[in-house]
Amino acid sequence: MEILASAPGKTILFGEHAVVYGEPAIAGAVNKRATIKLREAPRDISIFKSDDLGFEAELDTVAKRYTLKKGKPGIIKYILEILSKFHDHSPIEIDLSLNIPIGSGLGSSAAVTVSTLAALHKYHGKKFDRIFIAKKAHEIENTVQRMASPLDTRVSTFGGLIYLSRKKKITKFNTNFKSSFVIGYTSKRGNTGRMVKSVKSLKNRNPTIIEPILKTIGKITDDAKLAITNKQEYRLGELMNVNQGLLDSLGVNTNELSRMVYLARKSGASGSKITGAGGGGSIIACCPKNQDKVFKALTYYDNAIKVNFSNEGVFVKEIKEGLNDNFEDWWKYIN
Ligand code: MEV
């Protein structure tokens, strides 16, 4: 039996850092995905490989160890954790294709974790249960990363653009918000834990200054919710710019992020801001027009990727005999 499962990456549009103090956030699944093919291994050893990432490793799922045959997969820790918890140690082969750039802040590890869990559950004949997958994927991320936001795995599992309320209730926007975005990222990855700590320390030292800033980010997120519902992309851009100023005031901006933020605006984005924790990592630019122009400008100095929000969360299918081995065919098959 061969199983195919696929899950999207995500991006945070509003509410970074403020969400840690109970303010709302807006995040969404994007049209970049991790796709897993899982089958019985041809030999008596489990294999994890990816042509996209240029690696192959043999796995010892009992000892949670691996032997590299080719390349260097950082993502392997997630796979070993999943297999040790949810697999019976029989030899399997896992083939990953990933069109989410690693380190871009687009939640590649969550997408790989969610899709692998979904594939493994189907392989073992278990019912496809998104709530279970989201919960277990978060636990896996927490074990491997120590501190993981449940938002990444939740968005990757369910898809769509979501609003996380002050009461931690998640609602999907039921608008067909089609705007185009560009994510810009440098090779310097942000360290979420460190940035969260540094904002906390700033807030503790200056509570009367920082608390209103975090509250204002919450208000911006609420206005952004309205702008999305009403499909106002220029208003959304304006709110992104104001939010960026406040993120800067929290000390999570860097020279490189700032350069990308201003370059995106100069190239015609309606707004741009850091996405994620900052201190490295990524920016997001809203591009109702000029997506190509913004993309080109950002790739001149840094890396960038064009994205749109996507309603498609995780899906899983058994591969039928005779079907071509390529994703396009799969897409037709499942739709
Ligand atoms: C990081 O992607 C977003 C933060 O708000 C942390 C979190 O919500 O876990 C900075």
Side-chain angles (χ1 to χ4, degrees), residues 12 15-17 19-20 149 192 196 276-277:
I12 299 181
E16 294 91 345
H17 292 289
V19 73
V20 175
S149 163
T192 302
V196 168

Side-chain angles (χ1 to χ4, degrees), residues 97-276:
S97 62
L98 190 67
N99 68 0
I100 307 166
I102 289 176
S104 63
L106 283 172
S108 54
S109 67
V112 171
T113 303
V114 166
S115 52
T116 306
L117 266 173
L120 202 60
H121 275 75
K122 176 104 184 152
Y123 186 75
H124 289 295
K126 300 222 169 85
K127 205 173 128 243
F128 181 58
D129 176 349
R130 283 182 203 265
I131 293 173
F132 181 81
I133 289 171
K135 190 165 170 265
K136 294 300 164 193
H138 176 54
E139 285 173 21
I140 296 286
E141 285 232 304
N142 248 346
T143 311
V144 178
Q145 289 168 213
R146 302 265 138 76
M147 202 191 81
S149 163
L151 216 54
D152 286 22
T153 35
R154 171 92 199 204
V155 167
S156 183
T157 306
F158 289 91
L161 190 58
I162 60 122
Y163 172 84
L164 174 73
S165 77
R166 289 176 180 81
K167 290 186 173 150
K168 301 279 168 243
K169 194 172 160 259
I170 291 183
T171 40
K172 241 189 201 186
F173 285 93
N174 58 6
T175 170
N176 197 4
F177 186 66
K178 285 248 180 278
S179 196
S180 301
F181 292 83
V182 175
I183 304 280
Y185 58 101
T186 62
S187 48
K188 185 176 177 252
R189 293 175 80 150
N191 181 324
T192 302
R194 192 179 307 150
M195 296 327 287
V196 168
K197 261 193 205 149
S198 109
V199 171
K200 189 175 176 193
S201 152
L202 186 73
K203 178 176 160 299
N204 288 346
R205 285 179 281 118
N206 307 276
T208 55
I209 298 170
I210 301 301
E211 277 164 17
I213 292 176
L214 296 167
K215 288 241 173 322
T216 305
I217 293 179
K219 283 188 196 143
I220 293 171
T221 305
D222 282 335
D223 275 20
K225 185 179 175 217
L226 259 179
I228 291 169
T229 307
N230 298 328
K231 300 183 186 162
Q232 296 167 308
E233 294 157 311
Y234 287 89
R235 170 76 180 137
L236 196 75
E238 181 176 61
L239 292 167
M240 288 169 78
N241 293 344
V242 179
N243 195 346
Q244 171 63 16
L246 297 177
L247 284 169
D248 199 349
S249 75
L250 296 179
V252 301
N253 202 2
T254 66
N255 264 339
E256 291 80 12
L257 292 171
S258 220
R259 178 180 67 201
M260 285 195 281
V261 160
Y262 284 106
L263 196 54
R265 291 181 199 168
K266 196 173 154 209
S267 312
S270 70
S272 54
K273 63 179 273 295
I274 291 165
T275 174

Side-chain angles (χ1 to χ4, degrees), residues 44-72:
D44 199 21
I45 181 107
S46 288
I47 306 276
F48 177 44
K49 64 185 175 108
S50 170
D51 288 342
D52 287 351
L53 303 178
F55 71 76
E56 180 166 340
E58 289 181 354
L59 309 177
D60 179 341
T61 59
V62 179
K64 281 208 247 174
R65 285 209 203 99
Y66 60 90
T67 313
L68 280 178
K69 295 283 148 197
K70 198 167 74 175
K72 193 170 172 261

